[in-house]
Amino acid sequence: MIGEEVPSDQYYWAPLAQHERGSLASLDSLRKGGPPPPNWRQPELPEVIAMLGFRLDAVKSNAAAYLQHLCYRNDKVKTDVRKLKGIPVLVGLLDHPKKEVHLGACGALKNISFGRDQDNKIAIKNCDGVPALVRLLRKARDVDLTEVITGTLWNLSSHDSIKMEIVDHALHALTDEVIIPHSGWEREPNEDCKPRHIEWESVLTNTAGCLRNVSSERSEARRKLRECDGLVDALIFIVQAEIGQKDSDSKLVENCVCLLRNLSYQVHREIPQAERYQEAPPNVANNTGPHAASCFGAKKGKDEWFSRGKKPTEDPANDTVDFPKRTSPARGYELLFQPEVVRIYISLLKESKTPAILEASAGAIQNLCAGRWTYGRYIRSALRQEKALSAIADLLTSEHERVVKAASGALRNLAVDARNKELIGKHAIPNLVKNLPGGQQSSSQNFSEDTVVSILNTINEVIAENLEAAKKLRETQGIEKLVLINKSGNRSEKEVRAAALVLQTIWGYKELRKPLEKEGWKKSDFQVNLNNASRSQSSHSYDDSTLPLIDRNQKSDKKPDREEIQMSNMGSNSRSLDNNYSTLNERGDHNRTLDRSGNLGEMEPLKGTPLMQKI
């Protein structure tokens, strides 16, 4: 557990979008056609590396291009290049004045840095490869070269020890030379401010992927990204433009939204002067009050039931929320919790089909709704008014486990709002119960321990101080599944303990005891030994963070050297009311990645033309 990252309040945070390993270079533009003459032979690898230092630039460029070709999906050659001290020579060529030389060298480094051999990445770092790539990036003026540079940085960014190197040396160059100028965002908007990122989409995808990786590093990295002038503004502009063009499933959108989700992690703690947004613990769960008309326009649609949380006798104005009035437009990190970004996540939840994008959007909402802070309260209410609760609840039926878990975490934080809790209890409990193991009506998926515990914790939050939700749980075979988890003997301790808390919450309702006994349940079914774990029915009793995961290409026996994905992990020792749930992964499961969309983040390497040497 990392002390500086362990939250002390009581909300769940969504996991940080994590590791995309980068991209591979292409030599298609360098390929020379035609078969080799019969009197030429393929040079040996030591000869090719020696040619990198030849006095003729044409020989250097051909040798670099050939190395890129040799390293195409060939891990042995990559290792041999490193052992033959070829990497420092290639890094040195990045400062060569001729494009054909530094382009070939960069392409070779891009392919060498692709793959599971972490020693190659470290070798590039150790010979100051990152600063050299940044110098070249600042000189680059065309798409091809910039794409190779950013792809190489994306590859390197998957290694933990290189992340801060990239933040310290490459962040401002990537923002000033790539993200801002090619996004279409302008510091001083005018009527002609239009998206300009189509031509540079591959470069922007590489860059956002690189920053997405480094944002999963410690809080210092996220702080520097948030405070990098223009970065958040341009990212939001890109995603808005893609949504406007009905392209909500591109890799560019995925990388941008995952990056924004990471930057939303503990945003109310990590931004400058965060104390100005903090709120005292409320006396009641209902956190809405009289306000003027909502800045979110009221809409009607098929999800109208999610806007009907208030009783008929209540003043309709009590169900609206206003974001604080501003004297000037929000800029920079403040945009992370403004209506603009909230609407982006809502749009993606309703329009995107990509699991990683859905997970990231739900995770960002989970993060923004966590913590006792002003904007968390506004956003919880605003999401209800924008009919977003139903879109999140629909994710519980996804065939992708990580989407289900993200939706569960978001609903748990949203249920801190009393009206949200009522609606979620009425309409989301059936799908939450269906995702639990056992019973006649069960999901076809065999969810992991972490996901089952997350769902159980969400159920407990929703039914606490919500009798109608507890009744709904009983009506949907929830009791049967909970008792089965506790008594089957084949569930983990964490699952048993989470289910026990739900059962105790249910038995706490005297109104339900007789109906339960008539159905054959006994008091003993609801009494489980929790090893003195404290019981809580408070709606303010946890804090689930979405911290970074380690890339799955790393060894599982590696000891954690930074934060890991936060998850509900109920400890065995008695804890205070504000910390009944531990949210760090204490199992040491380090070889996973958050984004499991099938793409490990590395683009296919480009094959080059074989270099031939005259006999």
Side-chain angles (χ1 to χ4, degrees):
M1 297 175 65
I2 306 301
E4 71 162 338
E5 297 294 348
V6 176
S8 60
D9 57 27
Q10 61 284 63
Y11 294 84
Y12 265 101
W13 295 72
L16 288 179
Q18 167 66 12
H19 286 33
E20 289 282 320
R21 286 205 319 246
S23 58
L24 289 164
S26 172
L27 279 179
D28 288 346
S29 61
L30 302 177
R31 184 170 300 187
K32 310 295 191 297
N39 60 337
W40 286 75
R41 68 172 178 83
Q42 301 292 343
E44 299 294 330
L45 186 59
E47 296 176 284
V48 179
I49 293 176
M51 291 178 189
L52 294 174
F54 201 74
R55 60 185 180 84
L56 295 178
D57 292 341
V59 176
K60 292 178 181 178
S61 63
N62 282 335
Y66 187 46
L67 274 181
Q68 183 175 341
H69 164 74
L70 292 176
C71 292
Y72 177 83
R73 295 197 175 280
N74 192 324
D75 291 339
K76 182 180 183 304
V77 171
K78 299 174 190 178
T79 301
D80 291 342
V81 171
R82 185 185 76 244
K83 291 179 178 179
L84 291 169
K85 311 298 183 185
I87 289 179
V89 182
L90 289 168
V91 170
L93 291 178
L94 295 178
D95 289 315
H96 195 282
K98 289 193 176 180
K99 178 183 176 180
E100 59 267 22
V101 177
H102 57 237
L103 176 60
C106 191
L109 290 170
K110 187 177 183 183
N111 279 0
I112 289 171
S113 61
F114 173 90
R116 299 181 181 276
D117 190 340
Q118 303 303 305
D119 291 337
N120 294 336
K121 297 178 174 66
I122 295 299
I124 295 173
K125 174 199 172 187
N126 289 345
C127 58
D128 293 329
V130 172
L133 287 165
V134 172
R135 290 193 298 271
L136 185 57
L137 177 63
R138 291 194 180 278
K139 294 186 294 185
R141 293 294 180 268
D142 59 272
V143 175
D144 293 339
L145 177 58
T146 307
E147 182 177 0
V148 178
I149 297 169
T150 54
T152 307
L153 288 169
W154 189 5
N155 286 351
L156 296 174
S157 70
S158 69
H159 197 286
D160 283 350
S161 68
I162 307 178
K163 289 180 179 179
M164 285 308 298
E165 178 93 355
I166 292 175
V167 171
D168 292 335
H169 293 280
L171 172 58
H172 290 285
L174 290 170
T175 301
D176 297 338
E177 305 294 336
V178 179
I179 294 287
I180 292 177
H182 303 300
S183 65
W185 174 77
E186 295 180 355
R187 298 183 187 277
E188 299 297 333
N190 55 60
E191 296 180 358
D192 298 326
C193 184
K194 297 180 180 180
R196 299 193 300 270
H197 61 266
I198 302 302
E199 178 185 357
W200 291 76
E201 183 167 351
S202 61
V203 175
L204 288 166
T205 300
N206 289 350
T207 305
C210 174
L211 297 180
R212 166 185 176 176
N213 277 355
V214 302
S215 67
S216 67
E217 185 55 13
R218 54 185 180 267
S219 61
E220 178 68 8
R222 293 190 294 276
R223 181 187 67 80
K224 291 184 176 182
L225 265 67
R226 289 190 194 105
E227 298 178 17
C228 183
D229 188 27
L231 175 59
V232 174
D233 310 70
L235 291 172
I236 291 176
F237 187 90
I238 290 172
V239 179
Q240 286 176 325
E242 291 285 275
I243 293 174
Q245 295 168 5
K246 306 300 182 182
D247 190 7
S248 300
D249 294 291
S250 67
K251 190 68 177 180
L252 176 58
V253 169
E254 178 187 327
N255 284 345
C256 289
V257 174
C258 287
L259 173 54
L260 290 170
R261 187 264 298 270
N262 284 0
L263 297 182
S264 72
Y265 168 71
Q266 290 206 355
V267 64
H268 73 295
R269 293 174 178 270
E270 297 181 353
I271 58 175
Q273 299 179 329
E275 62 278 1
R276 58 184 165 166
Y277 298 115
Q278 301 306 307
E279 292 184 335
N283 294 324
V284 293
N286 188 353
N287 58 11
T288 58
H291 295 281
S294 171
C295 66
F296 283 78
K299 299 178 183 178
K300 293 184 178 180
K302 64 178 182 179
D303 302 322
E304 190 174 3
W305 53 265
F306 260 124
S307 66
R308 296 175 179 171
K310 55 185 181 293
K311 298 178 181 179
T313 57
E314 291 180 340
D315 183 354
N318 289 341
D319 201 39
T320 63
V321 60
D322 263 340
F323 279 75
K325 299 296 187 294
R326 302 188 60 90
T327 57
S328 61
R331 302 291 290 266
Y333 64 82
E334 289 187 335
L335 285 170
L336 292 170
F337 44 87
Q338 297 299 322
E340 298 92 316
V341 75
V342 174
R343 292 191 184 99
I344 284 177
Y345 300 139
I346 294 173
S347 296
L348 292 174
L349 287 173
K350 295 180 177 180
E351 298 176 14
S352 178
K353 306 298 181 184
T354 303
I357 294 176
L358 294 173
E359 179 194 354
S361 300
I365 289 172
Q366 180 177 343
N367 283 348
L368 293 175
C369 292
R372 294 192 186 103
W373 68 309
T374 305
Y375 280 90
R377 174 164 55 88
Y378 296 143
I379 291 170
R380 284 191 288 270
S381 297
L383 285 163
R384 176 179 69 254
Q385 295 166 53
E386 284 287 286
K387 316 302 185 296
L389 293 178
S390 60
I392 298 172
D394 288 344
L395 298 182
L396 294 171
T397 63
S398 171
E399 61 183 11
H400 300 277
E401 178 177 348
R402 303 198 69 84
V403 175
V404 173
K405 185 179 178 183
S408 172
L411 290 172
R412 181 172 183 179
N413 281 355
L414 284 163
V416 171
D417 180 291
R419 290 174 182 159
N420 288 348
K421 175 180 289 198
E422 180 182 347
L423 295 168
I424 294 169
K426 185 180 299 184
H427 300 285
I429 283 290
N431 283 335
L432 285 167
V433 171
K434 186 177 180 181
N435 284 326
L436 293 175
Q440 297 178 357
Q441 296 182 1
S442 182
S443 172
S444 59
Q445 301 186 69
N446 184 21
F447 288 135
S448 67
E449 172 192 80
D450 300 330
T451 301
V452 172
V453 170
S454 175
I455 293 169
L456 288 167
N457 288 341
T458 300
I459 292 174
N460 193 55
E461 175 62 32
V462 173
I463 68 171
E465 302 175 6
N466 188 351
L467 177 60
E468 293 303 315
K471 290 179 179 178
K472 178 68 71 172
L473 178 70
R474 169 174 160 256
E475 295 169 0
T476 54
Q477 294 188 341
I479 307 298
E480 174 187 347
K481 289 191 173 187
L482 291 166
V483 174
L484 186 62
I485 290 173
N486 275 289
K487 296 189 174 182
S488 64
N490 60 358
R491 310 307 304 187
S492 72
E493 180 182 354
K494 286 171 58 177
E495 291 171 312
V496 171
R497 297 166 72 76
L501 287 179
V502 181
L503 287 170
Q504 290 189 358
T505 300
I506 294 170
W507 191 253
Y509 289 108
K510 295 181 180 179
E511 301 92 332
L512 294 180
R513 291 179 185 175
K514 287 187 178 179
L516 289 170
E517 289 171 347
K518 288 182 179 180
E519 294 175 358
W521 300 110
K522 301 177 181 179
K523 182 178 180 180
S524 59
D525 293 324
F526 299 84
Q527 293 177 329
V528 183
N529 181 13
L530 295 180
N531 296 329
N532 299 321
S534 60
R535 171 193 172 196
S536 171
Q537 292 186 10
S538 169
S539 61
H540 304 280
S541 59
Y542 51 82
D543 184 353
D544 180 22
S545 304
T546 67
L547 283 174
L549 291 174
I550 298 177
D551 191 8
R552 63 178 161 187
N553 66 339
Q554 297 181 11
K555 296 181 180 179
S556 60
D557 59 356
K558 176 184 175 182
K559 294 182 179 180
D561 56 1
R562 52 159 175 75
E563 313 95 334
E564 294 177 26
I565 179 173
Q566 304 273 350
M567 60 193 69
S568 175
N569 177 19
M570 289 176 287
S572 59
N573 297 324
S574 179
R575 304 185 183 195
S576 68
L577 183 64
D578 286 342
N579 193 25
N580 283 327
Y581 302 98
S582 170
T583 56
L584 279 172
N585 177 4
E586 297 170 352
R587 296 187 304 133
D589 185 8
H590 310 310
N591 59 344
R592 298 172 300 151
T593 178
L594 185 68
D595 300 332
R596 293 182 175 178
S597 58
N599 184 343
L600 291 180
E602 295 182 348
M603 301 171 70
E604 288 298 314
L606 307 194
K607 295 181 179 179
T609 303
L611 176 68
M612 294 168 290
Q613 180 179 347
K614 189 173 183 179
I615 298 176

